[in-house]
Amino acid sequence: SVHIMSGIKATKCKALDSQKDTCPLGVAKLQNKSLIKQSHSEECSPKVNVMFMKTHKTASSTILNILFRFGEKHKLRFAFPDGRNDFFYPSPFLCSQVKDYKPGECFNIVCNHMRFDHQEVSKLLPPDSVYVTILRDPVDLFESSFHYYHKAVPLTWRIRGENKLAEFLNNPWTFYSPEAFNSFYLKNLLFFDFGLDNNLEADDPRVMTEIKNLSRRFHLVLIAEYFEESLILLKDLLCWTMEDILYFKLNARKSSSVSHLDAEMRAKALQWNGADWKLYQYFNGTFWARVEAYGRERMKQEVEELRRRNAEMKDICVEGGGAVEVQKIQNRRFLPWQPVGESSILGYNIKKDIDPRFRTVCEKMLTPEIQYLSELGVSLWLTRLWGWLKDAIY
C-alpha cells in the first residue's frame, strides 16, 4: 500500500444531529434481490454493511479482494478514498476524506487503509454494520513491516551492516524516535493503525483499557495465521456462501526476502512490540473461543471444503498453478505494488487457454488492490505519482 503525506486540509464530519442527517438503516439494505435468493440458510440473510479495518502486513489485501468482488457483484456502495488507495494514512480517519461524501449519506462497505477512528467511521455506515479486522503475530508483522517500509523510514538509513533488522533490535532506542517521520512502522504498528498510542509500554494500564474498547467495537477479529478458519467465521457471521470467500493469496513475499529470526531476536521483537503482543494474545483468545462455539469438527470440514474449492479455482485460473516473481508476470493488470527499491512481492499469470465461463471471476480474483480500485472507478493520481517517483529514484 502507498502512503504519501498530504497537505490537503480535512475537516471533521459534521455532527449528525437531526434524524435526516444520520445514515438510515433502511437505505443501505440491498435493493439487489439476487442476494436475498443466494442466502444458504432460513435463519439469516446476507449482511451487506461491513467495515473492514485493513491493518498492515496481515494478509488484509486478500480480504480486500473478497470484499471488492462481493460488493461489485451485488452493486453495493463503497466508501473510497480520493486520489489514492488509502484514507490519507497516517493521518487519523475523517469522513471528509471519502470521495463524494455528503453528511448523512450511507455506504455499504468501508475497507481501505486508514488510521481508525470509530466515531468518524460510524457516520458513514448504518447502525447494523458489522465491524471486522485482522491481526498477525507481532514478531512476523514487525519483520514484514521492517522489510517493506524501512526505506521509507529515515531512522533506519544510518543502520550499518548486512542484517539491519538485528542491528535495530539489539539497540532500538539508538535508531528509534517516536516523533520521527514514519517511525510508527517500527513499533506497535497494529496499535497505531487502530488510532492508539503506539509508544505505550505493554505494562501501561491504558493498553488493556484500549484493547477492551476495541473488543466492544469489533464483532469479529480475524487471525492471519489461521486465515482459512478466519474466513469460515467471517462467512458464518455475514451469512455469505463459500463461493463468496474463495481467494488467491495476494501481496505475498518471496520466501528468500523473509528474515528468519532466532529465539533471542523473536523475544526482543516481542518486547519491543509489547502493546501489539498484548492485543494479539487477547484477540487470539477470543478467536479460539469463536472456533469452539462454531464446532471444531464442523470447522475442520468447512476448511477442507474451502481448500478444495480454492485448489479447483487455481487449476482453472492460474498459469503454472502458483505465484511467480514480478519479472515473470506477463500482464501489467496483475502486477503487484512493490516496496521502495525492491521486487519481492509475488503475483500471478492467468491461464492462456482459460474456460471463457471463468475468465471474469479469475481476472477479479487475481487483480491486485491498486488495479482493482481503478476498475471500481477510484482515481489514484497521487498513488501513481508516488509509484513513478519511487521507481525513478531507485
Side-chain angles (χ1 to χ4, degrees), residues 266-291:
R266 284 190 73 83
K268 286 181 175 177
L270 267 192
Q271 193 175 359
W272 180 246
N273 296 283
D276 274 6
W277 177 232
K278 274 208 160 156
L279 178 77
Y280 180 81
Q281 281 181 302
Y282 180 89
F283 285 110
N284 190 44
T286 64
F287 177 83
W288 288 106
R290 294 287 278 263
V291 172

Side-chain angles (χ1 to χ4, degrees), residues 311-322:
E312 218 171 67
M313 289 309 293
K314 202 168 257 190
D315 285 344
I316 292 167
C317 301
V318 179
E319 188 68 45

Side-chain angles (χ1 to χ4, degrees), residues 243-367:
E243 188 184 330
D244 295 325
I245 61 163
L246 298 181
Y247 71 94
F248 299 132
K249 194 175 179 185
L250 297 178
N251 226 25
R253 273 161 74 193
K254 60 184 179 191
S255 54
S256 60
S257 74
V258 178
S259 307
H260 296 286
L261 303 181
D262 61 25
E264 185 193 354
M265 282 297 143
R266 284 190 73 83
K268 286 181 175 177
L270 267 192
Q271 193 175 359
W272 180 246
N273 296 283
D276 274 6
W277 177 232
K278 274 208 160 156
L279 178 77
Y280 180 81
Q281 281 181 302
Y282 180 89
F283 285 110
N284 190 44
T286 64
F287 177 83
W288 288 106
R290 294 287 278 263
V291 172
E292 287 296 337
Y294 186 82
R296 288 268 179 169
E297 190 50 41
R298 182 179 168 215
M299 176 61 79
K300 188 163 162 270
Q301 287 168 6
E302 289 277 288
V303 166
E304 280 170 11
E305 171 72 358
L306 176 59
R307 283 180 184 162
R308 188 185 66 74
R309 295 280 301 272
N310 274 338
E312 218 171 67
M313 289 309 293
K314 202 168 257 190
D315 285 344
I316 292 167
C317 301
V318 179
E319 188 68 45
V324 294
E325 292 188 28
V326 66
Q327 301 87 335
K328 293 179 180 159
I329 298 169
Q330 289 148 15
N331 186 336
R332 288 191 67 81
R333 177 182 178 173
F334 304 122
L335 271 180
W337 182 271
Q338 299 293 338
V340 175
E342 298 268 353
S343 57
S344 54
I345 306 299
L346 303 172
Y348 296 91
N349 285 313
I350 195 164
K351 271 201 172 162
K352 293 179 184 69
D353 56 347
I354 194 163
D355 183 328
R357 291 174 302 162
F358 291 102
R359 174 171 288 280
T360 302
V361 69
C362 287
E363 284 175 347
K364 291 186 188 304
M365 287 180 75
L366 294 170
T367 300

Side-chain angles (χ1 to χ4, degrees), residues 116-284:
F116 186 64
D117 181 321
H118 181 264
Q119 204 179 345
E120 287 288 296
V121 172
S122 64
K123 293 168 188 172
L124 300 172
L125 293 159
D128 71 340
S129 298
V130 178
Y131 284 67
V132 180
T133 189
I134 185 166
L135 306 181
R136 180 184 182 187
D137 179 308
V139 175
D140 299 324
L141 185 140
F142 174 75
E143 185 280 326
S144 180
S145 176
F146 192 93
H147 169 84
Y148 198 95
Y149 296 114
H150 76 268
K151 285 183 178 161
V153 185
L155 289 168
T156 67
W157 295 353
R158 56 198 177 86
I159 303 177
R160 297 278 168 260
E162 274 297 288
N163 193 341
K164 285 178 179 280
L165 185 63
E167 282 294 315
F168 179 88
L169 285 172
N170 282 326
N171 293 291
W173 285 109
T174 309
F175 305 108
Y176 180 79
S177 160
E179 293 79 36
F181 181 72
N182 279 353
S183 68
F184 55 86
Y185 285 125
L186 302 182
K187 188 172 177 65
N188 295 314
L189 179 55
L190 289 169
F191 238 62
F192 185 87
D193 280 353
F194 286 110
L196 308 173
D197 181 355
N198 63 311
N199 291 296
L200 290 177
E201 291 307 321
D203 55 2
D204 189 310
R206 285 172 290 179
V207 168
M208 265 328 286
T209 304
E210 298 290 18
I211 290 169
K212 292 277 173 61
N213 285 340
L214 287 177
S215 74
R216 287 189 284 272
R217 301 272 184 242
F218 286 89
H219 299 91
L220 178 62
V221 178
L222 312 174
I223 300 290
E225 285 76 15
Y226 301 98
F227 194 70
E228 292 153 326
E229 291 86 348
S230 291
L231 287 181
I232 300 302
L233 290 180
L234 183 67
K235 172 174 83 78
D236 186 58
L237 177 67
L238 298 177
C239 192
W240 288 7
T241 67
M242 190 65 84
E243 188 184 330
D244 295 325
I245 61 163
L246 298 181
Y247 71 94
F248 299 132
K249 194 175 179 185
L250 297 178
N251 226 25
R253 273 161 74 193
K254 60 184 179 191
S255 54
S256 60
S257 74
V258 178
S259 307
H260 296 286
L261 303 181
D262 61 25
E264 185 193 354
M265 282 297 143
R266 284 190 73 83
K268 286 181 175 177
L270 267 192
Q271 193 175 359
W272 180 246
N273 296 283
D276 274 6
W277 177 232
K278 274 208 160 156
L279 178 77
Y280 180 81
Q281 281 181 302
Y282 180 89
F283 285 110
N284 190 44

